[in-house]
Amino acid sequence: MANNNKIVVPEARAALNQMKLEIANELGMSNYDSMDKGNLTSRQNGYVGGYMVKQLVKSAQNQLAGK
């Protein structure tokens, strides 16, 4: 399966990867970086992506609100 997700700002790739690892760790997946994602359930993989989006939206809202 091809990954069609393109990062609009390539310089953000490292920060996004770090965020992914931190969120996975918070969700109890401490070795997320080295684990085979194919062995995770859709729900587990979805939680990581969903929480990333939630945090990114929260950050954008705070920035727009001047916080």
Side-chain angles (χ1 to χ4, degrees):
M1 178 185 252
N3 184 355
N4 294 324
N5 296 332
K6 304 239 188 293
I7 294 181
V8 178
V9 181
E11 297 82 9
R13 182 178 304 276
L16 289 170
N17 285 335
Q18 181 62 34
M19 177 185 234
K20 183 189 319 179
L21 295 177
E22 289 172 6
I23 288 172
N25 193 36
E26 289 175 19
L27 296 173
M29 295 179 250
S30 59
N31 59 343
Y32 190 79
D33 194 29
S34 61
M35 69 173 45
D36 180 4
K37 310 308 182 286
N39 289 331
L40 294 176
T41 65
S42 296
R43 178 170 289 204
Q44 289 172 308
N45 279 317
Y47 278 154
V48 174
Y51 276 88
M52 281 183 71
V53 171
K54 184 176 179 179
Q55 292 300 317
L56 290 168
V57 168
K58 181 179 175 182
S59 175
Q61 287 175 340
N62 284 332
Q63 188 175 17
L64 288 170
K67 294 182 181 178

